[in-house]
Amino acid sequence: MEKLIQQLINGLHVGSIYALIALGYTMVYGIIKLINFAHGDILMIGAFLAYFMLSSGLPIWAVIVISAILCALIGMAIEKFAYKPLRNAPRISALITAIAVSLFIQNLFMILFKPDPKPFPKTVSLGSLSLGGIRLDGITILTIVVSVALMIALEIFINKTMIGKSMKATSQDSKAASLMGININRTISVTFAVGSMLAAIGGILFSMAYPLIDPYMGTMPGLKAFVAAVLGGIGVIPGAMIGGFIMGIAESLTKAYISSQLSDAVVFGILIVVLLVKPAGLLGKNTKEKV
Amino acid sequence: MKFKKLLAIGMSLTLSAGLLAGCGSSGSEESDVIKIGGIAPTTGQVSVYGNAAVRGYQLAVDEYNEKGGVLGKQIELVVYDDKGDNNEAVNAYKKLVTSDKVDAIIGGVISTNTLAVAPLAAREGIPMISPTGTADDITKAGENIFRSCFTDPFQGEIVARFALEDLEAKKAAILFDQEGDYGRGLADSFEKTFSEAGGEIVAKKGFNPNDKDYKSILTEIKATNPDVIFIPAYYNSVSLVGSQIKEVGIDATLLGGDGWDGVIEIDSEAVEGGYFANHYATDDPNPVVQNFIESYKAKYDGESPKSFAALGYDAAVTLFEAMEKAGTTDKAKVVEALKATDLELVSGKTKFDEVGNPIKEVSIIQVVDGQYKLATKK
């Protein structure tokens, strides 16, 4: 029993990072119907920026803030230069562009900083709690708390602020929203900024737990977060969180009780099963296309 | 339209010019240089290993050339990049043999690439020595294929014996890199040796190096309460596994193979107190070792040579000495001389067995205060 609880906690740790990244995928998809494949690479950029700032001796809270702001700017720039010109193009063009942006970022970082993994500085040494036979590592607690807090903040932001409401409006019907006087371009920019911020923080939390960073580090978490977003219902914010947690726990339990070779197969298998039963994802609404 | 035609003609001209250039003959049979071909991944995912090996080759070549070369001729080293890819390795081999007409080959570096090239070299009878290809089958390809490193099964056996005899371990857990032959090969031979000698393997689990989270597997291992954990994997994963072992709260001695070499630069705390098998120890007082380290550091701005560099150097020296002994670069005679090798090298006193694998001691190294320390030789 204790072991099972320990495994669930392990799963929640990874899952909350997937959930953070999944939020960005889901928000962007909700607004412009684009799967932003470069999103996982923003996580990598966030981790790299943090690596350089920590190495130069900045305190961790400042590093998280600066890295998040810089990634927000990078996310906005990517949207402006790569996706905005294609806004009225067929969806497939934007999708291919997103893959190209992802490859571009990875290769750029490979040229700039070499492909060899770099050790991420251990700045925060948190102890660990032991409750009976269950051991809670400081980083695990921090990751889960920070992720959940950010998700709650995001829910409040979307439902209570003006810009958040205009995001919702844009995702429901962007034409009608712009007729109502909502600035669509600004709304989309803000969406990218917020999503990229969450990815950057996710990247720093990820590197604190697994202190090795390289230019490809965003690929696999990015892919799994995307699956988490689809699993929960793409475009639905609580869905992204639930999807992330399910992914993390499924992965952890598979590794523990079946085999680590099958963990990815099981996780992606769950996705297939869910999509067969509920094509719109767990919390997605089945919308009929109006013709 | 006209422009397109012109372009096509121009294109085909440049192409054929390139082809013709490729067919240039490489002078007479009695050239005044000895050409040695190198195959190594100098770019790509495994370039860290390839570049270390190539630096070792180059150092040996420079030293011999300063002393007047081999058989009174200067050595010319031609290295092609295989990018860690089998097709590229075969292309590199073909280029070396057909257009550069090399007298011998040092390479490849990664086991799978070496396995791709070895059968081709065996057919041509060209002397080939792989510095670091540890997969068992490499040298079985032909009698002209040798290697400077010990094999994977041998290494796993030595570490198991060390755990039983020196650490008096009773219960061992194995956590191996399940991607590729390296981790699996070491894990299997460790398991065999350890359990046959009366030890108990309490857990044997593979992990995928691309997942960075091993806590689920480690939580399972913790429950089996092992004395030692054997982790045959490459140093990047080892550092992550090691730090998570501490996180989960397992108190066991960590053991590993030569893939650990380089782990202290990533995270020495993670493996503090652990032991691993390696080809040579930097703190070995043997003058052969110390001279090598000194000249390597002088040539490459103070960089400390990893075992891949030492093996690259050893492979080149083994080959040059065999050529000297044969008194010719004739392929068959060089192969015969290689078989009779008996040299004091950086990675230990080396002879070859009938298959072409070196017979030599293994250094067991401990990580103490974030530094490598030679614990024992087995």
Side-chain angles (χ1 to χ4, degrees), chain B residues 329-364:
Chain B
T329 53
D330 177 78
K331 293 184 177 71
K333 289 195 175 116
V334 173
V335 170
E336 284 311 311
L338 275 169
K339 283 181 186 168
T341 294
D342 184 2
L343 290 170
E344 185 74 45
L345 294 168
V346 178
S347 58
K349 196 164 164 42
T350 305
K351 290 179 179 174
F352 286 113
D353 66 7
E354 64 284 0
V355 195
N357 297 330
I359 307 164
K360 61 183 180 192
E361 285 184 316
V362 177
S363 303
I364 301 279

mmCIF file of all heavy atoms in Angstrom, chain B residues 329-364:
data_model
loop_
_atom_site.group_PDB
_atom_site.id
_atom_site.type_symbol
_atom_site.label_atom_id
_atom_site.label_comp_id
_atom_site.label_asym_id
_atom_site.label_seq_id
_atom_site.Cartn_x
_atom_site.Cartn_y
_atom_site.Cartn_z
ATOM 1 N N THR B 329 54.172 -2.729 -45.012
ATOM 2 C CA THR B 329 52.758 -2.419 -44.804
ATOM 3 C C THR B 329 51.886 -3.468 -45.496
ATOM 4 O O THR B 329 50.677 -3.280 -45.617
ATOM 5 C CB THR B 329 52.412 -1.021 -45.371
ATOM 6 O OG1 THR B 329 52.839 -0.973 -46.736
ATOM 7 C CG2 THR B 329 53.073 0.073 -44.579
ATOM 8 N N ASP B 330 52.505 -4.533 -45.946
ATOM 9 C CA ASP B 330 51.752 -5.629 -46.571
ATOM 10 C C ASP B 330 50.675 -6.121 -45.606
ATOM 11 O O ASP B 330 50.972 -6.462 -44.453
ATOM 12 C CB ASP B 330 52.703 -6.771 -46.917
ATOM 13 C CG ASP B 330 51.955 -7.957 -47.498
ATOM 14 O OD1 ASP B 330 51.592 -7.886 -48.685
ATOM 15 O OD2 ASP B 330 51.697 -8.928 -46.744
ATOM 16 N N LYS B 331 49.418 -6.170 -46.067
ATOM 17 C CA LYS B 331 48.286 -6.396 -45.172
ATOM 18 C C LYS B 331 48.403 -7.697 -44.382
ATOM 19 O O LYS B 331 48.243 -7.715 -43.169
ATOM 20 C CB LYS B 331 46.981 -6.381 -45.977
ATOM 21 C CG LYS B 331 46.660 -5.005 -46.564
ATOM 22 C CD LYS B 331 45.321 -5.015 -47.265
ATOM 23 C CE LYS B 331 44.947 -3.646 -47.779
ATOM 24 N NZ LYS B 331 45.753 -3.203 -48.924
ATOM 25 N N ALA B 332 48.687 -8.799 -45.085
ATOM 26 C CA ALA B 332 48.716 -10.095 -44.404
ATOM 27 C C ALA B 332 49.812 -10.130 -43.346
ATOM 28 O O ALA B 332 49.620 -10.661 -42.246
ATOM 29 C CB ALA B 332 48.931 -11.205 -45.420
ATOM 30 N N LYS B 333 50.959 -9.522 -43.666
ATOM 31 C CA LYS B 333 52.074 -9.564 -42.710
ATOM 32 C C LYS B 333 51.781 -8.693 -41.487
ATOM 33 O O LYS B 333 52.173 -9.042 -40.367
ATOM 34 C CB LYS B 333 53.369 -9.109 -43.398
ATOM 35 C CG LYS B 333 53.862 -10.148 -44.402
ATOM 36 C CD LYS B 333 55.294 -9.890 -44.819
ATOM 37 C CE LYS B 333 55.807 -11.014 -45.721
ATOM 38 N NZ LYS B 333 56.120 -10.517 -47.070
ATOM 39 N N VAL B 334 51.104 -7.564 -41.705
ATOM 40 C CA VAL B 334 50.758 -6.698 -40.577
ATOM 41 C C VAL B 334 49.774 -7.421 -39.648
ATOM 42 O O VAL B 334 49.896 -7.363 -38.419
ATOM 43 C CB VAL B 334 50.151 -5.353 -41.062
ATOM 44 C CG1 VAL B 334 49.630 -4.533 -39.888
ATOM 45 C CG2 VAL B 334 51.204 -4.549 -41.817
ATOM 46 N N VAL B 335 48.823 -8.135 -40.243
ATOM 47 C CA VAL B 335 47.860 -8.888 -39.436
ATOM 48 C C VAL B 335 48.581 -9.929 -38.578
ATOM 49 O O VAL B 335 48.308 -10.084 -37.383
ATOM 50 C CB VAL B 335 46.782 -9.561 -40.329
ATOM 51 C CG1 VAL B 335 45.930 -10.536 -39.527
ATOM 52 C CG2 VAL B 335 45.898 -8.500 -40.972
ATOM 53 N N GLU B 336 49.547 -10.631 -39.194
ATOM 54 C CA GLU B 336 50.316 -11.628 -38.438
ATOM 55 C C GLU B 336 51.055 -10.960 -37.272
ATOM 56 O O GLU B 336 51.088 -11.479 -36.157
ATOM 57 C CB GLU B 336 51.328 -12.339 -39.361
ATOM 58 C CG GLU B 336 50.697 -13.370 -40.295
ATOM 59 C CD GLU B 336 49.765 -14.330 -39.564
ATOM 60 O OE1 GLU B 336 50.165 -14.887 -38.531
ATOM 61 O OE2 GLU B 336 48.606 -14.509 -40.023
ATOM 62 N N ALA B 337 51.653 -9.785 -37.557
ATOM 63 C CA ALA B 337 52.384 -9.076 -36.500
ATOM 64 C C ALA B 337 51.453 -8.615 -35.395
ATOM 65 O O ALA B 337 51.804 -8.629 -34.208
ATOM 66 C CB ALA B 337 53.124 -7.888 -37.110
ATOM 67 N N LEU B 338 50.219 -8.202 -35.774
ATOM 68 C CA LEU B 338 49.241 -7.759 -34.774
ATOM 69 C C LEU B 338 48.894 -8.900 -33.824
ATOM 70 O O LEU B 338 48.771 -8.710 -32.616
ATOM 71 C CB LEU B 338 47.961 -7.257 -35.454
ATOM 72 C CG LEU B 338 47.956 -5.799 -35.914
ATOM 73 C CD1 LEU B 338 46.758 -5.525 -36.803
ATOM 74 C CD2 LEU B 338 47.946 -4.841 -34.722
ATOM 75 N N LYS B 339 48.765 -10.110 -34.392
ATOM 76 C CA LYS B 339 48.419 -11.272 -33.564
ATOM 77 C C LYS B 339 49.467 -11.511 -32.487
ATOM 78 O O LYS B 339 49.150 -11.995 -31.405
ATOM 79 C CB LYS B 339 48.305 -12.527 -34.441
ATOM 80 C CG LYS B 339 47.014 -12.581 -35.236
ATOM 81 C CD LYS B 339 46.974 -13.864 -36.046
ATOM 82 C CE LYS B 339 45.778 -13.884 -36.972
ATOM 83 N NZ LYS B 339 45.895 -14.978 -37.945
ATOM 84 N N ALA B 340 50.724 -11.178 -32.822
ATOM 85 C CA ALA B 340 51.819 -11.436 -31.880
ATOM 86 C C ALA B 340 52.088 -10.245 -30.957
ATOM 87 O O ALA B 340 53.149 -10.155 -30.343
ATOM 88 C CB ALA B 340 53.076 -11.792 -32.657
ATOM 89 N N THR B 341 51.141 -9.297 -30.886
ATOM 90 C CA THR B 341 51.344 -8.097 -30.072
ATOM 91 C C THR B 341 51.632 -8.438 -28.607
ATOM 92 O O THR B 341 51.005 -9.328 -28.038
ATOM 93 C CB THR B 341 50.075 -7.211 -30.132
ATOM 94 O OG1 THR B 341 49.929 -6.731 -31.464
ATOM 95 C CG2 THR B 341 50.169 -6.020 -29.185
ATOM 96 N N ASP B 342 52.619 -7.745 -28.061
ATOM 97 C CA ASP B 342 52.878 -7.849 -26.624
ATOM 98 C C ASP B 342 53.449 -6.509 -26.186
ATOM 99 O O ASP B 342 54.640 -6.280 -26.267
ATOM 100 C CB ASP B 342 53.854 -8.995 -26.346
ATOM 101 C CG ASP B 342 54.059 -9.182 -24.850
ATOM 102 O OD1 ASP B 342 53.414 -8.451 -24.069
ATOM 103 O OD2 ASP B 342 54.866 -10.047 -24.466
ATOM 104 N N LEU B 343 52.583 -5.608 -25.767
ATOM 105 C CA LEU B 343 53.003 -4.227 -25.522
ATOM 106 C C LEU B 343 52.540 -3.727 -24.152
ATOM 107 O O LEU B 343 51.518 -4.167 -23.625
ATOM 108 C CB LEU B 343 52.385 -3.299 -26.579
ATOM 109 C CG LEU B 343 52.888 -3.390 -28.015
ATOM 110 C CD1 LEU B 343 51.982 -2.580 -28.912
ATOM 111 C CD2 LEU B 343 54.325 -2.898 -28.125
ATOM 112 N N GLU B 344 53.299 -2.793 -23.629
ATOM 113 C CA GLU B 344 52.912 -2.088 -22.406
ATOM 114 C C GLU B 344 52.194 -0.814 -22.856
ATOM 115 O O GLU B 344 52.825 0.136 -23.297
ATOM 116 C CB GLU B 344 54.172 -1.753 -21.604
ATOM 117 C CG GLU B 344 53.916 -1.116 -20.260
ATOM 118 C CD GLU B 344 53.391 -2.100 -19.221
ATOM 119 O OE1 GLU B 344 53.933 -3.226 -19.120
ATOM 120 O OE2 GLU B 344 52.448 -1.725 -18.518
ATOM 121 N N LEU B 345 50.860 -0.812 -22.787
ATOM 122 C CA LEU B 345 50.086 0.315 -23.302
ATOM 123 C C LEU B 345 49.450 1.115 -22.167
ATOM 124 O O LEU B 345 49.537 0.721 -21.002
ATOM 125 C CB LEU B 345 48.989 -0.190 -24.239
ATOM 126 C CG LEU B 345 49.478 -0.850 -25.529
ATOM 127 C CD1 LEU B 345 48.332 -1.555 -26.227
ATOM 128 C CD2 LEU B 345 50.109 0.178 -26.457
ATOM 129 N N VAL B 346 48.809 2.224 -22.536
ATOM 130 C CA VAL B 346 48.174 3.075 -21.532
ATOM 131 C C VAL B 346 47.100 2.283 -20.774
ATOM 132 O O VAL B 346 46.974 2.381 -19.560
ATOM 133 C CB VAL B 346 47.535 4.320 -22.186
ATOM 134 C CG1 VAL B 346 46.819 5.176 -21.140
ATOM 135 C CG2 VAL B 346 48.592 5.143 -22.898
ATOM 136 N N SER B 347 46.345 1.462 -21.513
ATOM 137 C CA SER B 347 45.273 0.707 -20.865
ATOM 138 C C SER B 347 45.770 -0.637 -20.333
ATOM 139 O O SER B 347 44.983 -1.550 -20.119
ATOM 140 C CB SER B 347 44.117 0.501 -21.829
ATOM 141 O OG SER B 347 44.563 -0.163 -22.987
ATOM 142 N N GLY B 348 47.079 -0.763 -20.113
ATOM 143 C CA GLY B 348 47.605 -1.980 -19.499
ATOM 144 C C GLY B 348 48.433 -2.820 -20.458
ATOM 145 O O GLY B 348 48.511 -2.550 -21.651
ATOM 146 N N LYS B 349 49.050 -3.845 -19.906
ATOM 147 C CA LYS B 349 49.904 -4.737 -20.696
ATOM 148 C C LYS B 349 48.987 -5.580 -21.567
ATOM 149 O O LYS B 349 48.067 -6.228 -21.084
ATOM 150 C CB LYS B 349 50.696 -5.612 -19.732
ATOM 151 C CG LYS B 349 51.876 -6.304 -20.356
ATOM 152 C CD LYS B 349 52.798 -6.813 -19.262
ATOM 153 C CE LYS B 349 53.773 -7.838 -19.781
ATOM 154 N NZ LYS B 349 54.364 -7.546 -21.074
ATOM 155 N N THR B 350 49.229 -5.531 -22.889
ATOM 156 C CA THR B 350 48.256 -6.115 -23.813
ATOM 157 C C THR B 350 48.823 -7.203 -24.703
ATOM 158 O O THR B 350 49.860 -7.027 -25.350
ATOM 159 C CB THR B 350 47.668 -5.011 -24.720
ATOM 160 O OG1 THR B 350 47.129 -3.994 -23.875
ATOM 161 C CG2 THR B 350 46.573 -5.549 -25.617
ATOM 162 N N LYS B 351 48.126 -8.344 -24.748
ATOM 163 C CA LYS B 351 48.329 -9.376 -25.775
ATOM 164 C C LYS B 351 46.953 -9.617 -26.372
ATOM 165 O O LYS B 351 45.948 -9.211 -25.797
ATOM 166 C CB LYS B 351 48.827 -10.680 -25.142
ATOM 167 C CG LYS B 351 50.238 -10.610 -24.610
ATOM 168 C CD LYS B 351 50.614 -11.943 -23.985
ATOM 169 C CE LYS B 351 52.046 -11.866 -23.476
ATOM 170 N NZ LYS B 351 52.421 -13.075 -22.742
ATOM 171 N N PHE B 352 46.919 -10.322 -27.543
ATOM 172 C CA PHE B 352 45.608 -10.648 -28.107
ATOM 173 C C PHE B 352 45.321 -12.136 -27.977
ATOM 174 O O PHE B 352 46.234 -12.955 -28.088
ATOM 175 C CB PHE B 352 45.551 -10.259 -29.590
ATOM 176 C CG PHE B 352 45.438 -8.773 -29.796
ATOM 177 C CD1 PHE B 352 46.473 -8.062 -30.377
ATOM 178 C CD2 PHE B 352 44.304 -8.083 -29.401
ATOM 179 C CE1 PHE B 352 46.378 -6.690 -30.559
ATOM 180 C CE2 PHE B 352 44.202 -6.714 -29.576
ATOM 181 C CZ PHE B 352 45.252 -6.019 -30.161
ATOM 182 N N ASP B 353 44.050 -12.483 -27.740
ATOM 183 C CA ASP B 353 43.688 -13.902 -27.781
ATOM 184 C C ASP B 353 43.456 -14.299 -29.239
ATOM 185 O O ASP B 353 43.601 -13.481 -30.147
ATOM 186 C CB ASP B 353 42.451 -14.177 -26.900
ATOM 187 C CG ASP B 353 41.191 -13.512 -27.425
ATOM 188 O OD1 ASP B 353 41.233 -12.943 -28.530
ATOM 189 O OD2 ASP B 353 40.165 -13.559 -26.730
ATOM 190 N N GLU B 354 43.054 -15.561 -29.478
ATOM 191 C CA GLU B 354 42.965 -16.061 -30.867
ATOM 192 C C GLU B 354 41.888 -15.346 -31.680
ATOM 193 O O GLU B 354 41.932 -15.346 -32.895
ATOM 194 C CB GLU B 354 42.750 -17.586 -30.881
ATOM 195 C CG GLU B 354 41.446 -18.072 -30.276
ATOM 196 C CD GLU B 354 41.449 -18.037 -28.743
ATOM 197 O OE1 GLU B 354 42.474 -17.636 -28.126
ATOM 198 O OE2 GLU B 354 40.423 -18.400 -28.152
ATOM 199 N N VAL B 355 40.909 -14.694 -30.994
ATOM 200 C CA VAL B 355 39.840 -14.005 -31.734
ATOM 201 C C VAL B 355 40.241 -12.568 -32.092
ATOM 202 O O VAL B 355 39.706 -11.980 -33.018
ATOM 203 C CB VAL B 355 38.528 -13.963 -30.898
ATOM 204 C CG1 VAL B 355 37.360 -13.593 -31.778
ATOM 205 C CG2 VAL B 355 38.285 -15.280 -30.218
ATOM 206 N N GLY B 356 41.201 -12.012 -31.341
ATOM 207 C CA GLY B 356 41.581 -10.620 -31.580
ATOM 208 C C GLY B 356 41.137 -9.700 -30.462
ATOM 209 O O GLY B 356 41.123 -8.486 -30.613
ATOM 210 N N ASN B 357 40.724 -10.275 -29.331
ATOM 211 C CA ASN B 357 40.372 -9.462 -28.166
ATOM 212 C C ASN B 357 41.579 -9.340 -27.247
ATOM 213 O O ASN B 357 42.335 -10.295 -27.098
ATOM 214 C CB ASN B 357 39.229 -10.108 -27.379
ATOM 215 C CG ASN B 357 37.962 -10.187 -28.196
ATOM 216 O OD1 ASN B 357 37.735 -9.352 -29.051
ATOM 217 N ND2 ASN B 357 37.160 -11.199 -27.952
ATOM 218 N N PRO B 358 41.775 -8.180 -26.625
ATOM 219 C CA PRO B 358 42.944 -8.006 -25.762
ATOM 220 C C PRO B 358 42.797 -8.789 -24.453
ATOM 221 O O PRO B 358 41.702 -8.933 -23.927
ATOM 222 C CB PRO B 358 42.959 -6.507 -25.481
ATOM 223 C CG PRO B 358 41.557 -6.074 -25.653
ATOM 224 C CD PRO B 358 40.959 -6.972 -26.687
ATOM 225 N N ILE B 359 43.929 -9.304 -23.973
ATOM 226 C CA ILE B 359 43.948 -9.943 -22.655
ATOM 227 C C ILE B 359 44.661 -8.954 -21.744
ATOM 228 O O ILE B 359 45.853 -8.690 -21.923
ATOM 229 C CB ILE B 359 44.738 -11.261 -22.707
ATOM 230 C CG1 ILE B 359 44.191 -12.139 -23.838
ATOM 231 C CG2 ILE B 359 44.687 -11.975 -21.373
ATOM 232 C CD1 ILE B 359 45.111 -13.263 -24.233
ATOM 233 N N LYS B 360 43.946 -8.371 -20.821
ATOM 234 C CA LYS B 360 44.591 -7.391 -19.942
ATOM 235 C C LYS B 360 43.773 -7.169 -18.678
ATOM 236 O O LYS B 360 42.651 -7.669 -18.548
ATOM 237 C CB LYS B 360 44.792 -6.068 -20.679
ATOM 238 C CG LYS B 360 43.516 -5.414 -21.137
ATOM 239 C CD LYS B 360 43.826 -4.162 -21.905
ATOM 240 C CE LYS B 360 42.566 -3.485 -22.365
ATOM 241 N NZ LYS B 360 42.804 -2.438 -23.328
ATOM 242 N N GLU B 361 44.348 -6.413 -17.770
ATOM 243 C CA GLU B 361 43.656 -6.160 -16.512
ATOM 244 C C GLU B 361 42.620 -5.057 -16.670
ATOM 245 O O GLU B 361 42.738 -4.189 -17.516
ATOM 246 C CB GLU B 361 44.673 -5.708 -15.451
ATOM 247 C CG GLU B 361 45.524 -6.832 -14.920
ATOM 248 C CD GLU B 361 46.429 -6.335 -13.813
ATOM 249 O OE1 GLU B 361 47.009 -5.242 -13.988
ATOM 250 O OE2 GLU B 361 46.561 -7.025 -12.790
ATOM 251 N N VAL B 362 41.621 -5.093 -15.807
ATOM 252 C CA VAL B 362 40.598 -4.050 -15.773
ATOM 253 C C VAL B 362 40.851 -3.192 -14.535
ATOM 254 O O VAL B 362 41.120 -3.718 -13.460
ATOM 255 C CB VAL B 362 39.194 -4.688 -15.683
ATOM 256 C CG1 VAL B 362 38.111 -3.619 -15.569
ATOM 257 C CG2 VAL B 362 38.939 -5.564 -16.890
ATOM 258 N N SER B 363 40.780 -1.881 -14.694
ATOM 259 C CA SER B 363 40.912 -1.003 -13.528
ATOM 260 C C SER B 363 39.540 -0.806 -12.903
ATOM 261 O O SER B 363 38.573 -0.512 -13.605
ATOM 262 C CB SER B 363 41.452 0.368 -13.946
ATOM 263 O OG SER B 363 42.684 0.228 -14.601
ATOM 264 N N ILE B 364 39.451 -0.980 -11.592
ATOM 265 C CA ILE B 364 38.201 -0.652 -10.887
ATOM 266 C C ILE B 364 38.429 0.700 -10.216
ATOM 267 O O ILE B 364 39.369 0.869 -9.443
ATOM 268 C CB ILE B 364 37.854 -1.709 -9.821
ATOM 269 C CG1 ILE B 364 37.710 -3.084 -10.462
ATOM 270 C CG2 ILE B 364 36.583 -1.309 -9.069
ATOM 271 C CD1 ILE B 364 36.401 -3.373 -11.136
#
